[in-house]
Amino acid sequence: MSIQSRKEEHVNLALSGKATFREKTNGFEQYELVYNALPEINLADVDTRTLFCGAQLLSPFLVTGMTGGYPNAENINRSIAEACAECGIAMGVGSMRAALEQTGSDPTFSVVRQFSDRVPILANIGAAQAALWHREGTLAQYVDRAVSLIGARALAVHLNPLQELLQPEGEPRFRGVLDAIAALIRTNNVPIIVKEVGAGITGNVARRLADVGVTMIDVAGAGGTSWAGIEILRRADAEQVNHLWDVGTPTAECIRQCVGVVPTVIASGGISTGTEAAKALAMGAHLVGTARPVLEAYAQGGTEAIVQFARNWELHLRQWMFIMGCSKLNDLRDPSTIQRIL
Ligand SMILES: Cc1cc2nc3c(=O)[nH]c(=O)nc-3n(C[C@H](O)[C@H](O)[C@H](O)COP(=O)(O)O)c2cc1C
């Protein structure tokens, strides 16, 4: 199957309602935000702005990378970029491999460029691909093209060994990935964010990344979209691989393990409400990311529905910050604001 039709199939399966974890949750139900009966602030004092990749966001939210590379992806990326620009939040595009290995500009990605002066946009490549390009000596040149195609302020590099193992066309070759990431950090062309795709980055992995100079990690933990699930649905021999459907570390646990290991932790993976976003920030995350819920909003009502989704998150975050006595996000990112209840 061509990369283009695979990308389309991924989007359709993500929207099918079948691509979620079966038993595992994101773990946030084990935590409660701490109510403050003496907040000493007004609701109007609450300020959700934050700096990310040198830009000011109105709220600490990121739509993480999903798509590009087949005709309808242009509409999806345009809508997401438009909504993010309207709400002042960041966005990523999906893996850019197909666009980079061909010559010429790919409009399904470059469509977001027109919004890149208003929101930080993240380019995206796979870590296994980065390792291959590093061995071939072409990594820097591909990264330059990826960044300039969409006017990106940072590059997300995704770690997805579970997905590559299960994908029928997968390439489970992860030797040399850490070296390639180290090379990307050394060349220092653009900030690097290392992310998973829904199985989670643990504290141990974060420490190995930090050792080679990684400062930003998107944990993309378990509890939301199951990429093992998506790929299993695409296979004829599901019974051979079904036991891997729910593999991964729940998002809340990933955040707990990664905060303090690198300076910037992005919390994502099954976060679908403003309350869960507030919990992630209280646990020390800098930014909160979401993917599939935004795709679902797009499918229901295009740009307007994504804007509504993001505004609801912001509203709920503001409500929480007021009743917790936190006028700034830094006040929210304090261990006293959250407690374990289970
Ligand atoms: C349709 C779809 C396509 C995706 N494609 C990519 C990709 O190309 N690169 C990547 O880094 N992550 C990709 N992801 C993973 C998301 O960025 C995110 O890490 C994951 O879906 C978990 O977040 P969620 O539970 O909010 O969906 C994709 C997700 C979806 C739903």
Side-chain angles (χ1 to χ4, degrees), residues 270-285:
I271 300 182
S272 61
T273 67
T275 299
E276 287 173 341
K279 287 183 185 181
L281 294 163
M283 292 176 78

Side-chain angles (χ1 to χ4, degrees), residues 7 10-12 14 64-67 93-96 124-125 156-159 163 195-198 218 220-221 223-227 230 268-271 289-293 295:
K7 297 287 163 196
H10 282 157
V11 165
N12 292 338
T64 62
M66 279 187 281
T67 203
V93 296
S95 172
M96 302 176 75
N124 188 298
I125 58 172
V157 181
H158 63 264
L159 301 172
Q163 183 193 3
K195 75 186 284 285
E196 234 285 340
V197 298
D218 174 351
T225 307
S226 164
W227 272 95
I230 291 184
S268 80
I271 300 182
T290 178
R292 189 171 44 94
L295 193 60

Side-chain angles (χ1 to χ4, degrees), residues 75 78-80 82-84 86 297-298 301-308:
N75 296 326
R78 181 189 302 103
S79 257
I80 296 175
E82 211 173 357
C84 288
E86 193 168 329
Y298 167 81
T303 309
E304 260 324 294
I306 304 175
V307 168
Q308 200 48 54

Side-chain angles (χ1 to χ4, degrees), residues 92-104:
V93 296
S95 172
M96 302 176 75
R97 175 183 172 182
L100 297 177
E101 288 180 338
Q102 287 154 13
T103 48

